[in-house]
PDB file of all heavy atoms in Angstrom:
ATOM      1  N   ARG A  22    -126.237  56.610  38.082  1.00 94.00           N
ATOM      2  CA  ARG A  22    -127.420  55.960  38.658  1.00 94.00           C
ATOM      3  C   ARG A  22    -128.685  56.352  37.898  1.00 94.00           C
ATOM      4  O   ARG A  22    -129.553  55.511  37.640  1.00 94.00           O
ATOM      5  CB  ARG A  22    -127.554  56.334  40.138  1.00 94.00           C
ATOM      6  CG  ARG A  22    -126.562  55.636  41.054  1.00 94.00           C
ATOM      7  CD  ARG A  22    -126.995  55.715  42.508  1.00 94.00           C
ATOM      8  NE  ARG A  22    -127.144  57.102  42.962  1.00 94.00           N
ATOM      9  CZ  ARG A  22    -126.155  57.815  43.484  1.00 94.00           C
ATOM     10  NH1 ARG A  22    -124.946  57.293  43.607  1.00 94.00           N
ATOM     11  NH2 ARG A  22    -126.370  59.064  43.876  1.00 94.00           N
ATOM     12  N   LEU A  23    -128.791  57.625  37.540  1.00 94.00           N
ATOM     13  CA  LEU A  23    -129.968  58.079  36.797  1.00 94.00           C
ATOM     14  C   LEU A  23    -130.069  57.388  35.433  1.00 94.00           C
ATOM     15  O   LEU A  23    -131.159  56.988  35.014  1.00 94.00           O
ATOM     16  CB  LEU A  23    -129.914  59.592  36.600  1.00 94.00           C
ATOM     17  CG  LEU A  23    -130.251  60.456  37.815  1.00 94.00           C
ATOM     18  CD1 LEU A  23    -129.971  61.926  37.503  1.00 94.00           C
ATOM     19  CD2 LEU A  23    -131.710  60.273  38.215  1.00 94.00           C
ATOM     20  N   LEU A  24    -128.949  57.250  34.759  1.00 94.00           N
ATOM     21  CA  LEU A  24    -128.967  56.601  33.447  1.00 94.00           C
ATOM     22  C   LEU A  24    -129.313  55.112  33.569  1.00 94.00           C
ATOM     23  O   LEU A  24    -130.074  54.570  32.755  1.00 94.00           O
ATOM     24  CB  LEU A  24    -127.616  56.772  32.755  1.00 94.00           C
ATOM     25  CG  LEU A  24    -127.276  58.205  32.312  1.00 94.00           C
ATOM     26  CD1 LEU A  24    -125.871  58.268  31.727  1.00 94.00           C
ATOM     27  CD2 LEU A  24    -128.284  58.723  31.298  1.00 94.00           C
ATOM     28  N   GLU A  25    -128.758  54.449  34.577  1.00 93.00           N
ATOM     29  CA  GLU A  25    -129.079  53.034  34.791  1.00 93.00           C
ATOM     30  C   GLU A  25    -130.548  52.859  35.169  1.00 93.00           C
ATOM     31  O   GLU A  25    -131.218  51.924  34.696  1.00 93.00           O
ATOM     32  CB  GLU A  25    -128.172  52.462  35.870  1.00 93.00           C
ATOM     33  CG  GLU A  25    -126.725  52.311  35.404  1.00 93.00           C
ATOM     34  CD  GLU A  25    -125.777  51.967  36.539  1.00 93.00           C
ATOM     35  OE1 GLU A  25    -126.224  51.994  37.716  1.00 93.00           O
ATOM     36  OE2 GLU A  25    -124.596  51.670  36.257  1.00 93.00           O
ATOM     37  N   LYS A  26    -131.049  53.776  35.993  1.00 93.00           N
ATOM     38  CA  LYS A  26    -132.459  53.727  36.366  1.00 93.00           C
ATOM     39  C   LYS A  26    -133.349  54.011  35.154  1.00 93.00           C
ATOM     40  O   LYS A  26    -134.480  53.500  35.063  1.00 93.00           O
ATOM     41  CB  LYS A  26    -132.740  54.758  37.463  1.00 93.00           C
ATOM     42  CG  LYS A  26    -134.144  54.685  38.044  1.00 93.00           C
ATOM     43  CD  LYS A  26    -134.313  55.677  39.169  1.00 93.00           C
ATOM     44  CE  LYS A  26    -135.727  55.624  39.750  1.00 93.00           C
ATOM     45  NZ  LYS A  26    -135.906  56.599  40.856  1.00 93.00           N
ATOM     46  N   GLY A  27    -132.832  54.779  34.211  1.00 92.00           N
ATOM     47  CA  GLY A  27    -133.587  55.117  33.002  1.00 92.00           C
ATOM     48  C   GLY A  27    -133.555  54.037  31.933  1.00 92.00           C
ATOM     49  O   GLY A  27    -134.112  54.222  30.857  1.00 92.00           O
ATOM     50  N   GLY A  28    -132.908  52.908  32.230  1.00 92.00           N
ATOM     51  CA  GLY A  28    -132.937  51.782  31.297  1.00 92.00           C
ATOM     52  C   GLY A  28    -131.666  51.567  30.506  1.00 92.00           C
ATOM     53  O   GLY A  28    -131.642  50.772  29.563  1.00 92.00           O
ATOM     54  N   PHE A  29    -130.585  52.231  30.897  1.00 93.00           N
ATOM     55  CA  PHE A  29    -129.321  52.059  30.178  1.00 93.00           C
ATOM     56  C   PHE A  29    -128.387  51.136  30.955  1.00 93.00           C
ATOM     57  O   PHE A  29    -128.262  51.248  32.176  1.00 93.00           O
ATOM     58  CB  PHE A  29    -128.624  53.402  29.962  1.00 93.00           C
ATOM     59  CG  PHE A  29    -129.355  54.314  29.013  1.00 93.00           C
ATOM     60  CD1 PHE A  29    -130.092  55.388  29.485  1.00 93.00           C
ATOM     61  CD2 PHE A  29    -129.299  54.093  27.644  1.00 93.00           C
ATOM     62  CE1 PHE A  29    -130.765  56.223  28.620  1.00 93.00           C
ATOM     63  CE2 PHE A  29    -129.974  54.929  26.770  1.00 93.00           C
ATOM     64  CZ  PHE A  29    -130.717  55.997  27.258  1.00 93.00           C
ATOM     65  N   GLU A  30    -127.741  50.249  30.231  1.00 91.00           N
ATOM     66  CA  GLU A  30    -126.637  49.476  30.802  1.00 91.00           C
ATOM     67  C   GLU A  30    -125.377  50.266  30.505  1.00 91.00           C
ATOM     68  O   GLU A  30    -124.945  50.375  29.360  1.00 91.00           O
ATOM     69  CB  GLU A  30    -126.579  48.085  30.160  1.00 91.00           C
ATOM     70  CG  GLU A  30    -125.470  47.215  30.723  1.00 91.00           C
ATOM     71  CD  GLU A  30    -125.439  45.851  30.061  1.00 91.00           C
ATOM     72  OE1 GLU A  30    -126.476  45.412  29.525  1.00 91.00           O
ATOM     73  OE2 GLU A  30    -124.358  45.224  30.062  1.00 91.00           O
ATOM     74  N   LEU A  31    -124.801  50.824  31.527  1.00 89.00           N
ATOM     75  CA  LEU A  31    -123.787  51.858  31.353  1.00 89.00           C
ATOM     76  C   LEU A  31    -122.372  51.304  31.490  1.00 89.00           C
ATOM     77  O   LEU A  31    -122.050  50.567  32.413  1.00 89.00           O
ATOM     78  CB  LEU A  31    -124.009  52.959  32.396  1.00 89.00           C
ATOM     79  CG  LEU A  31    -123.206  54.246  32.242  1.00 89.00           C
ATOM     80  CD1 LEU A  31    -123.608  54.979  30.989  1.00 89.00           C
ATOM     81  CD2 LEU A  31    -123.401  55.130  33.469  1.00 89.00           C
ATOM     82  N   VAL A  32    -121.539  51.678  30.521  1.00 90.00           N
ATOM     83  CA  VAL A  32    -120.094  51.506  30.636  1.00 90.00           C
ATOM     84  C   VAL A  32    -119.527  52.916  30.584  1.00 90.00           C
ATOM     85  O   VAL A  32    -119.549  53.576  29.543  1.00 90.00           O
ATOM     86  CB  VAL A  32    -119.521  50.653  29.498  1.00 90.00           C
ATOM     87  CG1 VAL A  32    -118.000  50.573  29.617  1.00 90.00           C
ATOM     88  CG2 VAL A  32    -120.129  49.263  29.498  1.00 90.00           C
ATOM     89  N   GLY A  33    -119.074  53.400  31.719  1.00 88.00           N
ATOM     90  CA  GLY A  33    -118.645  54.788  31.785  1.00 88.00           C
ATOM     91  C   GLY A  33    -117.225  54.956  32.269  1.00 88.00           C
ATOM     92  O   GLY A  33    -116.714  54.154  33.050  1.00 88.00           O
TER      93      GLY A  33
END
Side-chain angles (χ1 to χ4, degrees):
R22 285 197 302 271
L23 284 172
L24 291 176
E25 289 170 352
K26 187 177 179 180
F29 292 104
E30 181 180 337
L31 190 66
V32 177

